[in-house]
Amino acid sequence: MSVTESATTPERVLLRLDWEVIRRLDGLLQGDYRSLFYGYGVDFADLREYQPEDDIRYIDWNVTARMDSPYVRQYVEDREITAWFLLDLSPSVDFGVQENQKRRVLIDFVATLARLLTRHGNRVGAIFYSGRVERTIPARGGRIQVLRLVNDLLKQPRLPHAPFTNLTPMLESGLNAIKGRSLVFIISDFISVPGWERPLSLLNQRHEVLAIRLWDPREIELPDVGPVIMEDSETGEQIYVDTHDKKFRQRFQEAAQRRETALSQSFKHAGVDVLSLSTEDDLVRAIVRFATLRQQRRKNS
C-alpha cells in the first residue's frame, strides 16, 4: 500500500468523489441514470394496439405484420437493482504512474457507481479476485455498504508477482454466487489467459453485464526513452529493450492493436457493452460518453 493510500480513508474518498464526480454527473445526466442501466429489471408484460402517443421503439413488428395493425409491447419495471462488482485485483492492475494507476481508477469507479446506486435504495455487492477469490461481500444497501467496499479495496494487499491471470474462475464465481437477476460490472484490464469468453457470455445470458476495461496509454504505445528494463507485472519476468529502436516500438504497437481487436471481438460475441477507462481519462466524461452510447443503441434497437 502506498503512502498516499495509507493516509486515505473511505470517508475522504467518498467526499472527494461527491465533489469531483457525482455532482458533475448529476448535472450532466440530470439525475437520470437509466441510460446506464436500461436493460435491468424490465420484464415483458403484455401487447396492445398502438396509440398515437406511444413510443415507436416499442412496436412489435412481427405481431404488427400478423395482425395487419401496429401493436406495442408493454413492460413492467423492477425498481430495485441488485448490482455486483466482479473485481480483478491481479498485479497488472497496479500498472501506471504512482498517483494514477489502474487500481485507483478501479476504486474511484466502484465507489462512484456504488454511491449512485445505493442512494436510490439499491443494493451492491462485490467479489474480489486476485488469482483466486479473496472475498465475497454480500449485496446490501446504504452508505455504510459503500464505505465497506472502499475500505476493503484500500486495504486489499498488492501482490508483487503472481501466476498469469486467468479470469475464468472469477467469472464462474459470479455465475455461482449471484442468484437473482442482477446488474454485474466486470472491472478488469482483461489481461488474461484465453477461455474467459464463454463464462462471460453465460453470465450475460443471466444478468445485465457491463465490462469496465482498465488500461494505460503506455500499454498501447511505448515512449521513446532509450534503453529500459521492462518487467512483467504478473510473473516478474524482466527483459532489456531499447525504446530508441523505432521498429521495436512499431512491433509493440502492432501487437497491442491485435490484442485490442481480439478484445473487441470477444465483447461483441458475448453481447456485452464495454466502457474503456484509461488512467488518464476524466471519469465523469467517460461515464457520460458510455451512457450516451447505450442510449443511442437503445433507440436504434
Side-chain angles (χ1 to χ4, degrees):
M1 184 180 295
S2 69
V3 173
T4 302
E5 283 177 332
S6 64
T8 298
T9 65
E11 290 83 358
R12 287 178 181 173
V13 170
L14 278 194
L15 182 61
R16 172 175 61 82
L17 293 173
D18 273 337
W19 279 98
E20 296 179 1
V21 177
I22 294 172
R23 291 188 180 209
R24 289 171 60 199
L25 280 174
D26 282 341
L28 292 169
L29 294 178
Q30 299 179 339
D32 181 12
Y33 295 96
R34 292 166 52 78
S35 51
L36 276 172
F37 316 132
Y38 68 79
Y40 177 85
V42 178
D43 296 318
F44 172 67
D46 199 4
L47 281 166
R48 63 168 173 78
E49 283 197 75
Y50 174 82
Q51 298 175 6
E53 67 273 11
D54 288 334
D55 191 327
I56 62 172
R57 291 174 295 174
Y58 297 123
I59 292 178
D60 188 312
W61 295 106
N62 291 328
V63 175
T64 296
R66 289 199 305 270
M67 303 298 291
D68 200 26
S69 178
Y71 274 73
V72 294
R73 287 174 172 260
Q74 290 183 293
Y75 295 90
V76 173
E77 201 168 332
D78 182 358
R79 294 291 178 183
E80 182 179 290
I81 295 175
T82 298
W84 284 85
F85 298 97
L86 272 55
L87 305 175
D88 171 16
L89 299 168
S90 58
S92 64
V93 174
D94 294 321
F95 185 83
V97 296
Q98 184 62 35
E99 297 302 321
N100 216 21
Q101 296 173 340
K102 288 185 280 185
R103 182 180 290 252
R104 169 162 176 169
V105 177
L106 180 150
I107 293 173
D108 281 1
F109 182 85
V110 171
T112 297
L113 269 293
R115 182 84 173 100
L116 292 175
L117 286 159
T118 56
R119 73 178 184 177
H120 292 295
N122 304 301
R123 300 184 304 151
V124 296
I127 294 176
F128 288 21
Y129 180 81
S130 57
R132 61 186 176 89
V133 174
E134 298 287 345
R135 72 184 66 190
T136 299
I137 301 175
R140 293 192 178 93
R143 190 170 184 274
I144 296 299
Q145 177 75 343
V146 181
L147 290 171
R148 180 190 175 185
L149 283 174
V150 176
N151 181 66
D152 287 0
L153 280 170
L154 290 174
K155 290 186 174 180
Q156 179 69 19
R158 295 173 182 246
L159 301 177
H161 304 301
F164 196 64
T165 300
N166 182 0
L167 291 176
T168 296
M170 181 181 80
L171 298 173
E172 289 177 341
S173 294
L175 280 167
N176 294 327
I178 305 171
K179 303 302 180 185
R181 178 167 169 77
S182 301
L183 174 65
V184 180
F185 296 94
I186 300 168
I187 308 179
S188 172
D189 54 16
F190 292 91
I191 297 175
S192 167
V193 298
W196 51 267
E197 297 86 355
R198 175 170 168 73
L200 175 65
S201 182
L202 291 173
L203 198 63
N204 193 46
Q205 291 172 26
R206 298 184 191 178
H207 308 284
E208 181 183 3
V209 176
L210 304 178
I212 313 302
R213 189 260 173 130
L214 309 172
W215 64 285
D216 185 276
R218 285 159 286 270
E219 295 172 321
I220 306 297
E221 184 175 356
L222 281 179
D224 183 356
V225 292
V228 295
I229 295 176
M230 299 180 67
E231 178 178 312
D232 187 306
S233 58
E234 305 247 322
T235 65
E237 180 181 355
Q238 295 182 334
I239 58 170
Y240 173 87
V241 299
D242 184 1
T243 60
H244 278 323
D245 186 337
K246 186 176 180 180
K247 290 184 178 179
F248 174 77
R249 296 201 311 275
Q250 183 176 352
R251 290 196 302 272
F252 182 92
Q253 188 171 4
E254 288 171 351
Q257 188 56 56
R258 287 194 296 271
R259 180 173 170 271
E260 292 291 308
T261 301
L263 270 178
S264 296
Q265 291 174 344
S266 296
F267 292 132
K268 185 177 180 180
H269 181 72
V272 172
D273 280 348
V274 185
L275 168 59
S276 287
L277 270 182
S278 164
T279 53
E280 296 182 1
D281 265 340
D282 177 284
L283 184 57
V284 173
R285 294 182 185 219
I287 291 175
V288 170
R289 185 174 67 240
F290 187 53
T292 302
L293 176 64
R294 282 172 63 81
Q295 203 168 38
Q296 289 173 346
R297 287 182 181 173
R298 187 184 187 189
K299 289 179 180 178
N300 296 331
S301 62

